[in-house]
């Protein structure tokens, strides 16, 4: 899928989103265990907002990749679209919870990490 004509190979894959969820869960777990995590809030906002970006990048690549699919793959394509909607809803909910947890601090932190987020995508 990542090498099909017209696809942006620097855009997110499903693996990127899986890694993002693992990163969020790892940060939360470390905080819950009482570990003193430097920049824990920044890590949490970075991971959650990066998930948001990855989800936005995944959809157009997926739709381009399946454009020329054979009819026998349509069922799997629809199942993948359904899974993507579930992933999107889970990301949306985690970001909502993160915003509720941090309040106005969320936007301040997000603005501070915005330039750092671009580095892995270059």
């Amino acid at each position: 899928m990542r090498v099909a004509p017209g696809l942006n190979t620097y855009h997110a894959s499903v693996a990127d989103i899986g890694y993002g969820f693992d990163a969020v869960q790892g940060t939360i777990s470390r905080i819950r265990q009482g570990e003193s995590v430097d920049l824990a809030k920044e890590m949490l906002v970075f991971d959650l907002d990066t998930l948001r970006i990855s989800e936005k990048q995944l959809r157009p690549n997926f739709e381009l990749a399946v454009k020329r699919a054979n009819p026998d793959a349509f069922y799997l394509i629809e199942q993948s679209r359904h899974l993507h909607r579930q992933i999107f809803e889970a990301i949306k909910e985690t970001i909502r919870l993160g915003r509720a947890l941090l309040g106005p601090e969320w936007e301040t932190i997000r603005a501070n990490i915005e330039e750092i987020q671009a580095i892995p995508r270059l």
Side-chain angles (χ1 to χ4, degrees):
M1 179 171 138
R2 290 183 83 119
V3 296
L7 298 186
N8 184 338
T9 56
Y10 294 103
H11 275 194
S13 68
V14 172
D16 296 325
I17 290 176
Y19 172 78
F21 273 116
D22 287 346
V24 170
Q25 289 175 340
T27 299
I28 291 170
S29 179
R30 290 169 64 191
I31 293 168
R32 280 185 175 162
Q33 292 172 1
E35 185 177 332
S36 176
V37 181
D38 290 339
L39 304 172
K41 290 178 185 177
E42 288 80 359
M43 287 173 57
L44 192 58
V45 173
F46 178 89
D47 291 338
L48 289 173
D49 200 52
T50 300
L51 269 174
R52 179 188 61 80
I53 293 167
S54 294
E55 188 279 329
K56 284 183 181 283
Q57 292 177 338
L58 183 65
R59 190 175 320 145
N61 260 7
F62 177 79
E63 293 304 326
L64 278 172
V66 299
K67 232 177 192 175
R68 298 184 194 142
N70 294 329
D72 59 340
F74 288 170
Y75 174 76
L76 291 175
I77 291 167
E78 283 309 309
Q79 290 302 308
S80 294
R81 284 186 180 122
H82 176 71
L83 178 59
H84 185 162
R85 281 190 294 278
Q86 289 177 321
I87 290 169
F88 171 71
E89 290 302 321
I91 290 170
K92 196 166 78 171
E93 178 65 6
T94 57
I95 290 172
R96 186 192 69 73
L97 292 170
R99 285 176 180 252
L101 175 70
L102 297 175
E105 196 175 6
W106 171 276
E107 281 305 319
T108 303
I109 294 170
R110 200 198 59 70
N112 289 337
I113 63 153
E114 197 169 34
E115 290 181 20
I116 298 168
Q117 280 179 311
I119 293 170
R121 305 261 183 234
L122 297 177

